[in-house]
Amino acid sequence: MLLLWKPSGSAVKAATVHNYGVKNLFITGISPLLLSDMGGGFNISENISFQPDFATVWGMTEDDIVATLRLFCKGDEEKAEKHLAELQKYANGYHFSNIKTGPKVFNPYTVMWYLDVIFLNSLF
């Protein structure tokens, strides 16, 4: 992975320094350890993962889930609440901020799996 990423990191850095059209870049799936190991290739990064302003960017908020469940449950509030309670057992509770008082987020992959299995495939 590092061998593939290192030249790309240098190209991104050059594009930002020489004004080749890259002003900001959002990268997911690359650990800060990997980025720091690149030496001069890509040493202009900033890890914003734990800043409170970005705490809900990495998952789905309860408001997102409630709105989605209302659509899937066709307005049946009791049914939507039942499914919300199920999702809260397995996919809720993540904090991506150092401040633990902010909203918790749901794991989006678990939520999508749940919606697929329960509503689209009717397996349970």
Side-chain angles (χ1 to χ4, degrees):
M1 174 67 183
L2 182 58
L3 292 174
L4 295 173
W5 176 248
K6 203 167 193 172
S8 301
S10 297
V12 170
K13 183 178 179 181
T16 60
V17 171
H18 300 295
N19 197 21
Y20 292 141
V22 177
K23 183 176 179 184
N24 295 310
L25 180 67
F26 179 73
I27 301 173
T28 63
I30 298 177
S31 74
L33 183 60
L34 176 63
L35 290 174
S36 69
D37 190 37
M38 286 191 218
F42 192 74
N43 58 0
I44 60 169
S45 67
E46 179 182 352
N47 184 352
I48 61 169
S49 300
F50 295 112
Q51 293 181 15
D53 291 342
F54 298 97
T56 58
V57 172
W58 319 121
M60 301 174 79
T61 65
E62 187 168 314
D63 290 343
D64 296 332
I65 301 302
V66 169
T68 303
L69 288 172
R70 284 182 178 146
L71 289 172
F72 276 87
C73 294
K74 298 178 175 50
D76 184 339
E77 290 294 322
E78 187 176 320
K79 189 175 178 183
E81 288 296 323
K82 181 190 106 179
H83 288 292
L84 178 62
E86 281 296 307
L87 281 167
Q88 285 173 328
K89 275 195 245 178
Y90 303 107
N92 188 33
Y94 298 96
H95 278 109
F96 290 99
S97 169
N98 290 329
I99 300 171
K100 302 293 186 206
T101 57
K104 296 176 182 177
V105 294
F106 290 76
N107 179 329
Y109 297 106
T110 305
V111 172
M112 293 302 142
W113 173 86
Y114 183 88
L115 294 173
D116 182 47
V117 170
I118 299 299
F119 293 100
L120 301 178
N121 291 315
S122 300
L123 295 178
F124 293 100

